[in-house]
Amino acid sequence: MIKFTTAGESHGPCLTAILEGLPAGLTIDTDAMNAMLTRRQGGYGRGARQRIETDTVRILGGVVQGVTIGSPLALVVPNRDYENWQEKVVPVWRRPRPGHADLAGAHKYAIDDLRLIAERSSARETAARVAVGAIAAQVLAAADITVGSYVESIGGVCASLEHMSLDERIAAALDSDVSCPDTRAAADMRQAIDNAKTAGDSLGGIFVVTAQNLPVGLGTYAVWEDRLDARLAQAMMSIQAVKGIEIGPAFENAGLPGTKVHDALYPDGKGGYTRKTNRAGGLEGGMSNGEPIIVRAAMKPIPTTIKNQPTIDLNSGEAAETQYQRSDVCAVPAAAVVGEAMVAWTLMAVLLERFGGDTMQDLLERLEHDRR
Ligand code: EPS
C-alpha cells in the first residue's frame, strides 16, 4: 500500500508527513526537495508569511546515508513563525470568512474559536505535501517520467500558449514570478494582482499540470476507484481552494462532435502508431495512453480579503464584517507547484502498483521490459 499522511498546524512547531510504500534504493536529493519547497513559497501576490519562512525539509526516518531502505519515511518542515505566536494573546475569532472552512469546521468539531479551524485548513499544510511530492518526482525522474506545471490565467487574464510546446511552457513558467509562459500575459497578471491588492481583494486562476513519458496502461477501466483520471481528480481537488478540474480540453470537447474530439491513430512507419492531437489529455478508459497527461485546475480567489465582507458574529447572531487576517492576494503560482506534487504522488503510486515497488531496481527493470 502506497500512502502518505500529513499532520501539523499553520502556526504549530512544524508540518510533518509519513510516507509508506516507497521502494528501497532511491537516492534522495534533499536539495531538489528544498528547491520545490522554495518554489511553493514564491510567486507574485504571496503574503507576508513567506518572508518569515524558509521552508526546508528534515528527514527523520526511512533514509540511511541518503538512500531509502524500504521503511516509512518521516519528513518535517519547521514553521519559523511558531516562535512568534508563543507570547501573543490572540483574541478568539467569531466571524467566519465566507468561502473558508471557518463556519462548517466550527460546526463540525464544536470548536468556538475559528482560528483553530484555520490552523489546519490553511494551505500552509501543502508545504508537507510538496516535500512528499518532491520525493515522488524523484522516483518518476528515475523512470524518465517528468512532471511540470504552468499558470494559464489569473483573475481573468489569460495566456496565449498555442504556439508553445509543453516543454517550452514548463521551462518559461520556471522563469516567471506568476509561473506564466506568456510574458505579455504575465505582465497583465502582475498588474491584476496589484489592482486586487489596492482594492483589498484576492484573485484566483487556472493552472495546468503535465506528466510526460508515462507507460501505457497505468490505472484501469475495470474498477471505478482505480481509474487514473478519477485518482488525479481527487488528488487535485484535495488542494485548498481548487474547485474545478479538467483532463485535456474536456469542457470544450463536451460541445464538439466525436470526430472532432478523439485523437485519431496513424501508423508511425516503424510498426507502431502516432497521433496528431491529445484532446484526451493522455487518458483513455481511465488509463494512461502514452500521451502527455494534461490536468487543468481552477482555483477560487482566496477567501481572506483585506476588504471586509459581510458575515455574522457567531456570539450575537447579528450582522458583522469579516476581520482581516494576514493572507495572500493570489496563490495560483504556488498552487501549481502543489498540483505538481499531487500529480507526481498519484502517478508514482500507480506506477508502483503496476510494476511492484520493493526496490528501485525491480521497478526500473520491469518498466524497461514493458517499454521494450
Ligand atoms: C500559507 C501560509 C498562511 C497563509 C496561507 C498559506 O500563513 P498565515 O496564515 O500565517 O499568513 O498565508 O493560508 C491561507 C491562504 C489560508 O486561507 O489559511 C502557506 O505557507 O502557503
Side-chain angles (χ1 to χ4, degrees):
M1 189 69 180
I2 299 130
K3 59 181 181 184
F4 79 90
T5 307
T6 74
E9 276 67 46
S10 181
H11 304 95
C14 63
L15 280 316
T16 186
I18 303 279
L19 289 70
E20 282 178 59
L22 271 189
L26 175 71
T27 302
I28 299 285
D29 181 347
T30 43
D31 290 343
M33 294 173 76
N34 289 334
M36 196 163 173
L37 286 167
T38 302
R39 282 175 60 216
R40 191 206 72 93
Q41 283 200 270
Y44 197 77
R46 290 287 255 162
R49 176 71 184 271
Q50 304 311 325
R51 292 199 287 277
I52 300 169
E53 304 295 344
T54 315
D55 289 344
T56 41
V57 69
R58 279 183 65 202
I59 302 178
L60 301 183
V63 176
V64 176
Q65 291 174 348
V67 182
T68 57
I69 57 167
S71 42
L73 258 70
L75 309 179
V76 164
V77 179
N79 284 323
R80 286 187 161 190
D81 203 24
Y82 172 64
E83 301 298 335
N84 301 333
W85 291 81
Q86 294 316 295
E87 305 299 319
K88 274 189 198 155
V89 182
V90 188
V92 169
W93 295 3
R94 295 292 286 156
R95 298 177 184 189
R97 288 163 288 179
H100 209 276
D102 296 347
L103 182 62
H107 275 285
K108 179 174 172 64
Y109 294 110
I111 290 174
D112 287 340
D113 187 352
L114 302 179
R115 198 172 70 88
L116 303 187
I117 307 301
E119 277 298 327
R120 179 64 185 165
S121 58
S122 165
R124 176 95 194 123
E125 183 260 343
T126 60
R129 293 207 233 175
V130 167
V132 169
I135 290 180
Q138 290 175 28
V139 174
L140 296 177
D144 283 330
I145 298 166
T146 53
V147 177
S149 70
Y150 57 90
V151 168
E152 220 171 51
S153 79
I154 286 178
V157 177
C158 299
S160 298
L161 302 171
E162 296 73 26
H163 59 290
M164 297 177 90
S165 71
L166 271 185
D167 285 334
E168 287 167 347
R169 294 178 197 191
I170 291 161
L174 288 172
D175 286 335
S176 160
D177 61 2
V178 281
S179 299
C180 178
D182 173 351
T183 46
R184 274 238 308 264
D188 292 344
M189 288 174 183
R190 275 191 290 277
Q191 187 61 55
I193 293 168
D194 287 344
N195 294 348
K197 190 174 183 179
T198 309
D201 224 319
S202 60
L203 292 180
I206 295 173
F207 61 89
V208 174
V209 182
T210 73
Q212 298 185 74
N213 203 26
L214 284 158
V216 178
L218 296 180
T220 178
Y221 58 87
V223 178
W224 67 267
E225 72 264 40
D226 291 337
R227 297 179 73 99
L228 182 52
D229 38 14
R231 290 176 67 169
L232 288 167
Q234 189 196 22
M236 293 289 267
M237 287 293 288
S238 73
I239 301 169
Q240 291 83 340
V242 168
K243 297 288 274 185
I245 139 118
E246 185 184 42
I247 305 228
F251 288 91
E252 192 182 288
N253 286 346
L256 295 172
T259 51
K260 296 260 185 313
V261 168
H262 299 300
D263 305 307
L265 293 153
Y266 303 93
D268 68 357
K270 293 179 269 179
Y273 57 86
T274 183
R275 305 186 200 234
K276 295 176 182 165
T277 54
N278 179 26
R279 297 186 71 90
L283 289 147
E284 288 172 314
M287 297 169 291
S288 57
N289 68 1
E291 297 295 318
I293 299 241
I294 314 280
V295 190
R296 183 174 282 102
M299 182 188 198
K300 70 183 177 185
I302 284 169
T304 314
T305 51
I306 298 171
K307 191 166 138 189
N308 294 339
Q309 299 177 61
T311 186
I312 52 154
D313 188 311
L314 293 179
N315 290 330
S316 64
E318 299 291 323
E321 292 206 313
T322 53
Q323 294 152 285
Y324 173 66
Q325 317 293 340
R326 180 178 67 189
S327 187
D328 310 306
V329 175
C330 174
V332 179
V337 180
V338 182
E340 269 182 52
M342 293 308 292
V343 166
W345 174 267
T346 306
L347 295 178
M348 182 198 74
V350 287
L351 194 72
L352 295 177
E353 286 163 16
R354 170 102 194 266
F355 295 107
D358 285 344
T359 70
M360 282 302 287
Q361 194 181 342
D362 282 352
L363 169 69
L364 296 180
E365 278 175 10
R366 289 175 195 162
L367 180 62
E368 182 55 31
H369 180 259
D370 179 83
R371 279 178 168 149
R372 268 209 305 276

